[in-house]
Amino acid sequence: MQDVKDNFIISRIYGAIYEVYHPEHGFCNAVLRGKLRLAKNRERHPFVVGDRVTALWEQNELVIAERLPRKSFLVRQNSFKEAHVLCANIDYLLILASLAMPESKDSFIDRCLASCYHSGITPLIVFNKQDLVASEVAEKKVDKYSNLGYKVFLISSLAKESMQQLLLGLSNKVTYLVGNSGVGKSTFLNQVVGEKGGNVQKTNDVSGSTQKGRHTTTNSRALFLAQGVVLIDSPGVKEWGLLHMQPVEVLHSFPELQGLRGDCAVPTCCDASKKCKMLKNYKRIDLSEDRQKSLDAILYTLENPGKEKPGQYSHKGKTRRQTR
C-alpha cells in the first residue's frame, strides 16, 4: 500500500474502529495512531462523525494520523461530567418534529434552537406527518417559527413529493438529523435514499399505549447521497441538555429577546452579573405562552441540574461555566 496521507471523513464509529469515507476510495475501516488513542481529551470522544482526518496505510492497515480543524461542532450536555460533541463540520441541524402520533414537544425544538445558536449552526425545522392533522393546525406550527425567522418545512415522510423543496436546500451541505423517537426519522431517511439505496433504516411502530416511539438507530452515521447531500443520522434523543450554556446565552438564542441586547452595557455581555438587562427584563417581553414555558424550564434546569419540573428562575449574580 502507498505510504501517502489522504483526507477522509469519519462516517461511523464502532468502538476502536472508525469507518471513514473518501470520494474515490469509498468506505474503509481505520484505527487511531497510538499517541492519538492514548492522548488525554476533555471530550467524551476525541473523534466524532463528520470529523475530517488524514490517514495513511501502514502494514495493510489504515491509520488515522490527525484530526483536521473543525469548522463547526454541535454539543449536548446533560450532566456536569462532560460535554458530548455529537458531530462536526455540519452546515445544518435538521430538527424533525412530529405533528401527531406522537406530537413533538415544542420544548425539545426550542432547546435544539438554543444549541444551534450557541454553535453557530443553521437550524431547519421540519414538521412531519402533516397528513395526520388539520391544515390549520399544521400552518399554526409553521407560522410560529417562521415568523421568528427560522426556516420551516411541512412534510409527510410517506410522500416524497412533499419533501422536494427541503431536499433541494440540502444539496452540497452536511446536515445532522435529529428528532425524538417516533417522529419518522427512519421513514424520512428511506425516502431520501430511495429504492436504489434500499431501506437504510428499519422502522418501528409507535407504541399504542404510550404514543412514544421505539429507537431504531443506535449509532450516528453519515450517508453520502446524490447532489452532494450528506446526512448524518443520529440516535433518537429523549432530552437535549444545555448545561454547556450560560443563562444569558440561552436568552440570546431567543429572537424575541434580541431587542434587549441594545440595552446591555456590554454588547458581548455574558458574565451574567446582577446588572444584566436581559436577565432582569426578559419576562417583560411578549413571548408566546409555550415559548415562555420553554425558556423558564431551560433557565430552571441550568440552576437546578437534574430537576425536570420548571420553576421560577431567580438570578443570583453567579455564573456557571461547564466544559464545552
Side-chain angles (χ1 to χ4, degrees):
M1 294 289 184
Q2 293 181 342
D3 187 19
V4 178
K5 289 184 180 180
D6 211 339
N7 292 343
F8 294 82
I9 298 175
I10 294 179
S11 57
R12 203 164 188 176
I13 300 174
Y14 304 91
I17 303 298
Y18 296 80
E19 179 188 83
V20 296
Y21 175 80
H22 188 281
E24 295 181 7
H25 309 313
F27 294 93
C28 305
N29 287 337
V31 297
L32 294 182
R33 278 189 184 276
K35 64 179 182 180
L36 291 178
R37 187 173 64 251
L38 299 175
K40 293 182 178 180
N41 197 292
R42 299 178 70 182
E43 299 173 12
R44 176 181 296 185
H45 204 291
F47 292 81
V48 296
V49 174
D51 268 327
R52 298 186 178 98
V53 298
T54 59
L56 70 160
W57 291 95
E58 293 182 351
Q59 298 179 351
N60 296 327
E61 185 175 53
L62 188 61
V63 178
I64 295 174
E66 64 176 331
R67 186 184 78 188
L68 299 176
R70 292 169 173 168
K71 74 171 186 178
S72 66
F73 58 93
L74 191 64
V75 181
R76 187 174 78 229
Q77 185 171 349
N78 295 331
S79 71
F80 286 123
K81 292 182 179 180
E82 56 191 1
H84 183 190
V85 178
L86 302 169
C87 56
N89 301 310
I90 64 171
D91 301 292
Y92 295 137
L93 173 67
L94 194 160
I95 307 165
L96 190 64
S98 175
L99 292 169
M101 297 183 64
E103 180 180 358
S104 297
K105 294 182 179 180
D106 290 344
S107 58
F108 177 79
I109 299 173
D110 296 336
R111 284 173 174 269
C112 290
L113 293 174
S115 188
C116 282
Y117 181 88
H118 176 266
S119 300
I121 294 167
T122 300
L124 304 176
I125 304 172
V126 180
F127 287 108
N128 189 22
K129 305 185 184 181
Q130 64 169 331
D131 52 307
L132 298 182
V133 299
S135 59
E136 56 268 25
V137 173
E139 290 170 3
K140 184 178 180 180
K141 281 282 192 180
V142 171
D143 290 344
K144 172 185 175 180
Y145 288 100
S146 62
N147 290 339
L148 294 175
Y150 296 110
K151 295 181 180 180
V152 187
F153 299 86
L154 186 62
I155 69 165
S156 169
S157 57
L158 296 177
K160 191 170 183 178
E161 60 271 16
S162 70
M163 300 163 54
Q164 293 306 312
Q165 184 181 0
L166 169 63
L167 296 180
L168 285 174
L170 301 183
S171 297
N172 300 311
K173 300 292 183 181
V174 180
T175 302
Y176 188 70
L177 174 62
V178 68
N180 297 124
S181 57
V183 300
K185 275 199 310 114
S186 297
T187 305
F188 173 84
L189 281 172
N190 288 332
Q191 285 282 20
V192 172
V193 173
E195 294 181 2
K196 291 183 179 180
N199 283 335
V200 296
Q201 278 292 348
K202 179 179 71 174
T203 58
N204 276 342
D205 293 331
V206 173
S207 169
S209 60
T210 64
Q211 289 297 297
K212 294 181 179 180
R214 300 165 183 164
H215 297 303
T216 55
T217 305
T218 58
N219 192 6
S220 293
R221 60 158 174 183
L223 302 172
F224 298 83
L225 310 175
Q227 282 77 51
V229 175
V230 181
L231 274 178
I232 300 178
D233 186 22
S234 67
V237 178
K238 292 183 179 180
E239 179 186 358
W240 196 280
L242 297 175
L243 290 180
H244 58 289
M245 296 179 65
Q246 295 183 51
V248 180
E249 290 178 305
V250 172
L251 294 174
H252 286 175
S253 73
F254 277 66
E256 304 97 314
L257 307 181
Q258 289 298 314
L260 290 175
R261 297 188 69 175
D263 297 329
C264 290
V266 181
T268 57
C269 122
C270 297
D271 60 354
S273 68
K274 292 182 179 180
K275 296 181 180 180
C276 177
K277 297 290 185 181
M278 294 192 77
L279 284 173
K280 283 187 175 182
N281 299 314
Y282 80 90
K283 286 210 170 187
R284 298 180 186 178
I285 301 299
D286 186 23
L287 285 167
S288 63
E289 183 178 357
D290 46 5
R291 289 277 283 173
Q292 184 69 65
K293 287 182 179 178
S294 289
L295 180 56
D296 286 343
I298 293 171
L299 294 176
Y300 179 81
T301 56
L302 291 185
E303 197 168 72
N304 303 274
K307 296 184 180 180
E308 297 182 357
K309 293 182 179 181
Q312 181 66 37
Y313 177 78
S314 59
H315 175 56
K316 299 179 180 179
K318 297 180 180 179
T319 62
R320 181 188 292 110
R321 294 183 180 275
Q322 282 85 29
T323 302
R324 294 186 183 179

